[in-house]
Amino acid sequence: MARDSRDSLLGEFPIDTGSAMIEADPYGGNRYILKVNGVPSSHVDLDDPTYLDFEYMRWMEPIFTFGFPASDFDGRARKLRVLHLGGGGCSMARWVAASYENARQVVVELDAKLAELVRTSFDVPRAPLVRLRVGDAGQVLPTLSDDSRDVIIRDVFAGSATPRELTTVDYARHAQRVLDGGGVYIMNCGDTADLAGAKAEAATLLEVFEHVAMIADPPMLKGRRYGNIVFLASDEPLTLGAAFERNLRTAPLPAQLVSGASVQRFAAGASPILPQA
């Protein structure tokens, strides 16, 4: 349950990995920004869980709505099963819970105190709808059952980078194993203008999955700035359709879908990421 008043939500809170700050959205509403060790981590609208503020999450949204239509999941015989590697403010988990009846979600969060702060502050649905599992995403994924998830989202950062062990070929193979038929592995990759990290991640996914695509705004793909690239990987064709691409082009920050041979060209010269010896 959320705290009683807007003011009581705000402030700095000790967590296991440092400190978390909850700030009011300067544009008003019942909206908040969660910062972890000074870095913006999540944006949450307590009145409307379907509102997503971060651009890369807005790009993820149509992956669900076009790739996994809510009409395909009745919430009884068929429930959407989502694994979130990285918790933050649970913005995407709240969105899925509001968009899919009786969806089953697990959110893996390393920091126990942060998980509790988010649970009590941001109206995150309780288990079995959303289960917050405290643990290291690098260690949790290999323990999960085969064919047990429809969607896996990797959104884990230590500072501005994803820990290396979550970017390797071996880790991608675990994601492939845990996904059910038709499942999609979604990764948020933050990178600098040289795109070296994104190219290595693309090469890694191409080593494991039959189909790989990328979503980003054109300046990012041209190496003009730091930003986010959302990767999609599956062993079945990513048939999202023309309406999906129109949705990306008309987003507040327009983005484009790159797929097929274009991803291979993007990754040319990069090597898949292997576990460190």
Side-chain angles (χ1 to χ4, degrees), residues 91-266:
S91 302
M92 283 303 303
R94 293 176 76 247
W95 182 89
V96 171
S99 304
Y100 293 84
E101 182 181 357
N102 220 18
R104 292 294 190 260
Q105 301 184 79
V106 175
V107 179
V108 180
E109 171 55 55
L110 178 66
D111 192 306
K113 289 183 178 178
L114 177 61
E116 181 59 24
L117 175 66
V118 168
R119 169 75 81 189
T120 58
S121 299
F122 293 154
D123 278 346
V124 179
R126 292 283 176 178
L129 299 179
V130 179
R131 182 161 67 92
L132 285 176
R133 176 171 175 175
V134 175
D136 185 326
Q139 298 174 8
V140 170
L141 181 64
T143 69
L144 300 182
S145 300
D146 295 3
D147 309 321
S148 61
R149 300 295 189 275
D150 300 302
V151 179
I152 299 173
I153 300 175
R154 191 206 73 188
D155 192 9
V156 182
F157 287 87
S160 60
T162 299
R164 179 187 172 87
E165 62 268 24
L166 274 63
T167 67
T168 66
V169 168
D170 285 0
Y171 199 73
R173 286 186 175 132
H174 279 299
Q176 180 187 48
R177 175 184 58 79
V178 171
L179 285 171
D180 204 351
V184 175
Y185 185 28
I186 303 171
M187 297 167 26
N188 177 28
C189 172
D191 204 4
T192 57
D194 67 9
L195 298 175
K199 291 178 180 180
E201 293 242 50
T204 300
L205 293 174
L206 289 167
E207 181 76 9
V208 176
F209 289 92
E210 289 293 324
H211 303 276
V212 179
M214 306 158 44
I215 301 170
D217 65 293
M220 178 66 191
L221 290 173
K222 293 176 181 177
R224 294 178 180 171
R225 65 176 183 85
Y226 172 88
N228 297 87
I229 293 177
V230 172
F231 283 98
L232 300 76
S234 178
D235 281 331
E236 295 190 13
L238 299 164
T239 53
L240 297 169
F244 172 81
E245 295 194 52
R246 284 197 300 272
N247 182 286
L248 293 177
R249 290 196 299 270
T250 58
L253 179 61
Q256 66 185 79
L257 178 70
V258 177
S259 60
S262 295
V263 179
Q264 295 176 343
R265 287 193 293 270
F266 176 83

Side-chain angles (χ1 to χ4, degrees), residues 31-85:
R31 296 175 175 177
Y32 303 89
I33 298 167
L34 173 69
K35 293 182 177 179
V36 177
N37 295 321
V39 179
S41 168
S42 304
H43 181 282
V44 173
D45 186 327
L46 288 182
D47 290 338
D48 181 7
T50 65
Y51 176 80
L52 298 172
D53 187 73
F54 284 9
E55 297 297 346
Y56 76 88
M57 290 188 180
R58 291 185 176 184
W59 300 339
M60 289 180 182
E61 179 180 344
I63 301 172
F64 283 87
T65 54
F66 290 96
F68 300 87
S71 58
D72 290 350
F73 299 88
D74 60 14
R76 296 181 298 278
R78 192 176 185 201
K79 305 176 180 69
L80 185 69
R81 302 162 299 167
V82 184
L83 172 67
H84 303 260
L85 300 169

